[in-house]
């Protein structure tokens, strides 16, 4: 949702790959903490067009990745991005607390702010270009039912969550395998951006009660009018 993210999306549309020295990237240290748990797969939930996975490769991660993205246009861009990477797999589904179908609100910013939840005024006023412009009905599955069928050769999954307020539901559908997860990177909100979303303290409490310790943060979405930080990413490692 940042200006830099928008410029990179535009560059990719023009066929350009914009990158910089990894150590200069503000996400680098958080990602280094994330992979310090030595995962053998990264489950990239809310992948959009694959930005996180591309950055993981730029930062030197060479292991397996599975990107989950249900939205039609974003899924097409994601599938194209992963086409030449044999260890980067794409699943055209969403993850949640139930196996069902839900209406996904599609955001105007290439789907980066798309969510199952209604957008709140704090979000739409800070990012008017992220307003909803349509809906798609998409398939939703529990992670703890998907993973036993597809992850039999993985032993140390790491979980990245960027689901625009739906993180509570994704983790609610992962309770059966949460003890296997070695690291979690999750988008956390300091303001009420999506109706029904977790407050960041609730998310931290849920993770802490299940044996995860926060070891890194990266600032995310800010209100350009006030400079107030609205979202940040937290990195959590499993203790023990």
């Amino acid at each position: 949702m940042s200006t830099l993210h928008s410029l990179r999306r535009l560059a990719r549309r023009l066929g350009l790959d914009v990158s910089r020295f990894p150590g200069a990237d503000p996400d680098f240290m958080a990602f280094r903490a994330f992979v310090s748990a030595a995962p053998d797969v990264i489950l990239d939930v809310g992948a959009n067009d694959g930005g996180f996975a591309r950055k993981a490769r730029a930062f030197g991660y060479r292991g397996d990745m599975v990107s989950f993205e249900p939205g039609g246009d974003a899924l097409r861009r994601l599938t194209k991005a992963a086409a030449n990477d044999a260890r980067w797999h794409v699943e055209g589904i969403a993850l949640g607390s139930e196996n069902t179908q839900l209406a996904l609100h599609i955001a105007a910013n290439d789907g980066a702010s798309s969510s199952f939840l209604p957008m709140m005024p704090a979000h739409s006023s800070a990012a008017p270009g992220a307003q909803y412009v349509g809906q798609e009905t998409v398939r939703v599955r529990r992670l703890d039912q998907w993973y036993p069928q597809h992850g039999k050769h993985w032993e140390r999954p790491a979980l990245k969550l960027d689901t625009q307020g739906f993180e509570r539901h994704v983790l609610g559908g992962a309770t059966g395998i949460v003890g296997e997860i070695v690291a979690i990177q999750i988008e956390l909100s300091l303001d009420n951006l999506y109706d029904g979303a977790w407050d960041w303290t609730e998310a931290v409490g849920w993770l802490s009660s299940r044996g995860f310790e926060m070891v890194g943060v990266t600032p995310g979405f800010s209100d350009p009018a006030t400079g107030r930080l609205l979202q940040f990413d937290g990195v959590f490692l499993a203790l023990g």
Side-chain angles (χ1 to χ4, degrees), residues 132-213:
Y132 293 150
V133 293
Q135 280 191 0
E136 294 178 18
T137 300
V138 302
R139 191 159 60 101
V140 183
R141 289 198 63 190
R142 288 181 61 95
L143 179 58
D144 59 13
Q145 294 186 15
W146 177 92
Y147 188 81
Q149 298 173 15
H150 298 84
K152 294 179 181 178
H153 60 291
W154 296 314
E155 296 180 350
R156 299 180 60 81
L159 182 61
K160 167 264 178 183
L161 296 175
D162 184 0
T163 55
Q164 307 305 312
F166 209 63
E167 291 80 12
R168 176 205 307 270
H169 303 277
V170 177
L171 288 173
T175 52
I177 65 161
V178 70
E180 301 177 42
I181 296 172
V182 297
I184 294 176
Q185 179 170 322
I186 182 172
E187 189 174 64
L188 302 168
S189 292
L190 292 167
D191 206 336
N192 187 16
L193 303 182
Y194 294 93
D195 189 22
W198 255 344
D199 175 83
W200 74 274
T201 57
E202 293 180 273
V204 171
W206 192 97
L207 291 165
S208 296
S209 70
R210 287 157 177 81
F212 290 90
E213 177 185 21

